[in-house]
């Protein structure tokens, strides 16, 4: 990442990014303008959280039906159940960390990993970046791992960018936070879930989606793991085209999340939900 004072601003000028930003804004505005939002926004937020958690878990290998996620109370039976439980806890926790994010993003990331791990991960690997030689369990991404020194340096750079703020659109910042965490895989486990939870925090905290009703995780899952990974490889490449493709992919995910919540609004309006 650049050491310039606003390293993300240039990404907003990449070909196609401005169009993605505008398309996302229109999609978010449409669902916020729905008449159901004026009186039942809390229900939409709760449903979006559930669906977002399901989508994030699906990308991490636990592709459960929504109703199965809704009805289950025990998430300790096996690896898939642990993943779904971790995704649900992260979605619930994200809203509690908004005020801390801009002051101490590393503290938030540590907390997210702690929450995701629950009792499934033991030892001193929980809530801290991995050390040299420590393995990483990430079921979706099999790209080469940056070494521990690179992870530490890039995490520090990411934290500085978040704290400094800047003029980059929320979509751009969210996509970079998501992509950087997925590329680094800084923790021993649950990196994909943590990366998508951090993206959620940026989208909410930026004011783009303050009520958390446009779950990007739904859109990432709907576009399928293959498309997610292909777009992510563009981020890892670091090329202008690759970065723009990743940002556009993340933008489309937010739009699909907005569409999902619009459908929930329509169902509530019909009295069918």
């Amino acid at each position: 990442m650049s050491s310039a004072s606003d390293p993300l601003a240039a990404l907003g000028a990449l070909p196609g990014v401005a169009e993605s930003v505008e398309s996302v804004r229109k999609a978010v505005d449409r669902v916020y303008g729905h008449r159901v939002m004026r009186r039942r926004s809390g229900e939409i937020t709760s449903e979006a959280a559930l669906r977002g958690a399901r989508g994030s878990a699906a990308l991490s290998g636990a592709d459960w039906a929504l109703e199965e996620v809704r009805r289950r109370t025990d998430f300790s039976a096996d690896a898939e159940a642990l993943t779904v439980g971790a995704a649900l806890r992260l979605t619930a926790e994200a809203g509690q960390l908004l005020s801390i994010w801009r002051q101490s993003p590393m503290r938030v990331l540590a907390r997210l990993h702690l929450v995701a791990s629950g009792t499934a991960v033991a030892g001193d690997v929980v809530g801290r970046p991995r050390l040299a030689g420590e393995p990483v369990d990430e079921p979706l991404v099999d790209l080469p791992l940056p070494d521990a020194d690179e992870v530490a340096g890039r995490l520090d750079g990411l934290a500085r960018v978040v704290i400094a703020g800047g003029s980059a659109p929320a979509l751009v910042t969210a996509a970079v936070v998501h992509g950087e965490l997925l590329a680094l895989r800084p923790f021993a486990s649950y990196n994909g879930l943590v990366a998508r939870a951090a993206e959620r925090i940026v989208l909410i905290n930026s004011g783009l989606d303050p009520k958390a009703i446009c779950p990007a995780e739904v859109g990432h899952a709907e576009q399928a793991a293959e498309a997610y990974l292909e777009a992510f490889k563009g981020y890892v490449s670091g090329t202008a085209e690759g970065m723009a493709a990743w940002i556009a992919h993340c933008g489309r995910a937010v739009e699909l999340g907005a569409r999902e919540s619009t459908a929930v609004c329509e169902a509530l309006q019909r009295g069918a939900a």
Side-chain angles (χ1 to χ4, degrees), residues 166-260:
S167 60
L171 172 63
V172 172
T173 303
V176 168
V177 167
H178 181 171
E180 191 72 353
L181 292 173
L182 201 58
L184 295 177
R185 282 150 286 163
F187 300 110
S189 57
Y190 296 121
N191 288 287
L193 295 179
V194 168
R196 291 184 288 275
E199 178 186 49
R200 165 180 282 267
I201 287 172
V202 174
L203 293 170
I204 298 169
N205 210 30
S206 66
L208 178 63
D209 182 22
K211 294 183 183 293
I213 61 169
C214 302
E217 305 96 325
V218 168
H220 287 304
E222 186 171 332
Q223 293 178 91
E226 294 79 6
Y228 181 74
L229 286 174
E230 188 62 31
F232 171 62
K233 288 177 183 177
Y235 178 86
V236 173
S237 75
T239 65
E241 295 80 4
M243 295 293 286
W246 171 247
I247 294 167
H249 184 89
C250 292
R252 181 60 179 157
V254 177
E255 290 181 54
L256 290 170
R259 186 179 73 178
E260 185 89 350

Side-chain angles (χ1 to χ4, degrees), residues 3-113:
S3 60
S5 59
D6 192 358
L8 303 187
L11 297 179
L14 291 175
V17 170
E19 290 82 358
S20 292
V21 169
E22 180 62 21
S23 183
V24 165
R25 169 54 66 189
K26 288 179 178 177
V28 172
D29 286 347
R30 279 195 297 271
V31 67
Y32 271 84
H34 197 286
R35 65 173 63 186
V36 169
M37 283 295 297
R38 292 197 294 270
R39 49 194 171 83
R40 304 181 72 173
S41 63
E43 293 173 68
I44 308 302
T45 296
S46 296
E47 188 65 18
L50 182 72
R51 294 178 185 225
R54 194 218 71 82
S56 192
L59 285 172
S60 287
D63 192 1
W64 288 15
L66 180 63
E67 291 311 313
E68 177 69 5
V69 178
R70 198 189 302 279
R71 76 169 188 83
R72 285 284 285 268
T73 56
D74 179 11
F75 295 97
S76 61
D78 53 38
E80 285 197 5
L82 289 169
T83 296
V84 175
L88 287 167
R89 291 193 300 274
L90 281 174
T91 304
E93 186 72 11
Q96 309 304 311
L97 300 172
L98 300 178
S99 63
I100 306 171
W101 174 251
R102 284 291 297 273
Q103 285 74 44
S104 183
M106 286 307 303
R107 180 180 164 195
V108 169
L109 294 176
R111 175 63 183 170
L112 289 175
H113 186 244

